[in-house]
Amino acid sequence: MIQGVWVNINQLLHFLVVADECRSATEVVEELEKLVAAYGFDYYGLVRQPKPDENPLELVLCGRWPEGWPQIYIAKKYVLIDPTIRYLSQAQSGFRWRDTAHAFRADPHRKRMERMLMDGMRFGLLDGYIFPVHGRTGLLGNMTVGGKPIDLSPIEISLFDAVAKKAFWRLLELTREGDVDSAKAIDARMTRREMEVLSYLADGLTSNEISKILKISNHTVDWYMNGIQDKLNAKNRQHVVALAFRLGLVT
């Protein structure tokens, strides 16, 4: 058992070395897929963190998912309530999918989360891990591996974190998109009152309902809304809510 763990660890270390020697994005993806397959994961994805004006479908650097699952995920807008994506905004290192369910056990969107998890299981996504990739401007992307349940040791999780970062930056470098980290960051710094308004907006309340709760005028609520929208570079209030969940401003 211990010998098997060290064999896998050597494969992780092997990727970290050969990734720098790869001369094309295709070679990096091939090496990454060898590693994923060696660990027994059925599916994986390496994606960039979306910005307000980007199409999520265009942000996948590489990956393999169950046939039909991406379409279900997008059609049902699971990205807004996906517990792994929401937990990702505050995570500094890799974590297991199933561990996020406990973090949101009291969340008002809990039932939708459970439906999403059940849908995923029907497609063979029983469990997995997700590893954040950070840069100077914050969360830049992530790598996910999953399928049937597989136990990783703490050292393996740490090395997968390194693999995620190495694969992410090598692919951006080889596809000449390495300036992603210098893009304008979203200003997510909110005042206490803005956070109150944002929280009620995320719960589906109207300006009139929010004004009554906070005992301020509709005009003042709209003023806060406009300020929040400007800070997030959002197109409308629905976009504000989507970004707020994605950035972990509301849960």
Side-chain angles (χ1 to χ4, degrees):
M1 181 69 173
I2 294 177
Q3 182 178 0
V5 170
W6 280 110
V7 169
N8 286 339
I9 287 176
N10 285 334
Q11 290 173 327
L12 289 162
L13 295 173
H14 174 75
F15 176 85
L16 293 173
V17 173
V18 301
D20 284 327
E21 300 174 355
C22 293
R23 297 189 176 184
S24 70
T26 299
E27 290 181 15
V28 175
V29 173
E30 288 176 351
E31 291 295 335
L32 182 59
E33 291 195 340
K34 288 178 185 177
L35 175 60
V36 170
Y39 259 90
F41 291 110
D42 301 309
Y43 308 105
Y44 80 101
L46 186 63
V47 302
R48 287 173 48 190
Q49 184 74 2
K51 298 182 180 65
D53 57 347
E54 289 183 308
N55 181 348
L57 293 178
E58 298 175 355
L59 301 177
V60 178
L61 299 177
C62 61
R64 180 177 66 252
W65 294 105
E67 184 177 355
W69 172 246
Q71 291 75 18
I72 292 290
Y73 188 87
I74 292 170
K76 295 189 176 182
K77 298 181 179 179
Y78 280 149
V79 69
L80 298 178
I81 52 88
D82 185 338
T84 66
I85 297 302
R86 291 173 62 182
Y87 194 84
L88 188 65
S89 65
Q90 61 189 16
Q92 296 301 313
S93 60
F95 56 90
R96 198 163 190 167
W97 293 357
R98 69 186 185 193
D99 292 339
T100 63
H102 180 74
F104 298 104
R105 63 189 183 281
D107 192 276
H109 300 285
R110 172 75 182 191
K111 289 185 178 179
R112 279 200 68 200
M113 290 181 187
E114 291 175 349
R115 285 198 297 271
M116 188 207 81
L117 294 174
M118 291 299 295
D119 277 347
M121 288 180 182
R122 284 195 286 271
F123 279 84
L125 298 170
L126 304 180
D127 197 11
Y129 297 82
I130 186 166
F131 306 91
V133 177
H134 294 94
R136 291 189 303 274
T137 58
L139 183 65
L140 300 181
N142 71 82
M143 184 177 81
T144 300
V145 292
K148 55 183 175 290
I150 293 175
D151 295 325
L152 296 180
S153 67
I155 190 171
E156 287 174 307
I157 292 175
S158 295
L159 287 172
F160 259 108
D161 260 321
V163 165
K165 294 175 176 62
K166 176 67 73 175
F168 183 87
W169 289 113
R170 280 300 283 153
L171 286 176
L172 289 184
E173 180 183 358
L174 292 169
T175 55
R176 299 182 180 180
E177 296 182 35
D179 62 344
V180 64
D181 197 26
S182 62
K184 181 181 179 182
I186 291 176
D187 183 2
R189 294 170 296 179
M190 300 287 170
T191 66
R192 180 183 62 81
R193 183 63 92 185
E194 285 175 334
M195 286 301 298
E196 289 176 337
V197 171
L198 182 58
S199 178
Y200 288 125
L201 178 65
D203 286 338
L205 274 63
T206 65
S207 292
N208 185 50
E209 291 170 329
I210 295 173
S211 70
K212 291 179 179 178
I213 293 174
L214 298 180
K215 294 181 173 57
I216 56 179
S217 69
N218 281 3
H219 175 76
T220 302
V221 171
D222 290 335
W223 184 81
Y224 282 120
M225 293 282 195
N226 290 335
I228 295 169
Q229 190 169 320
D230 288 342
K231 284 186 176 183
L232 297 181
N233 297 324
K235 299 173 183 177
N236 49 46
R237 292 189 180 187
Q238 289 76 21
H239 198 193
V240 164
V241 173
L243 288 170
F245 278 120
R246 190 178 300 158
L247 294 168
L249 297 175
V250 293
T251 59

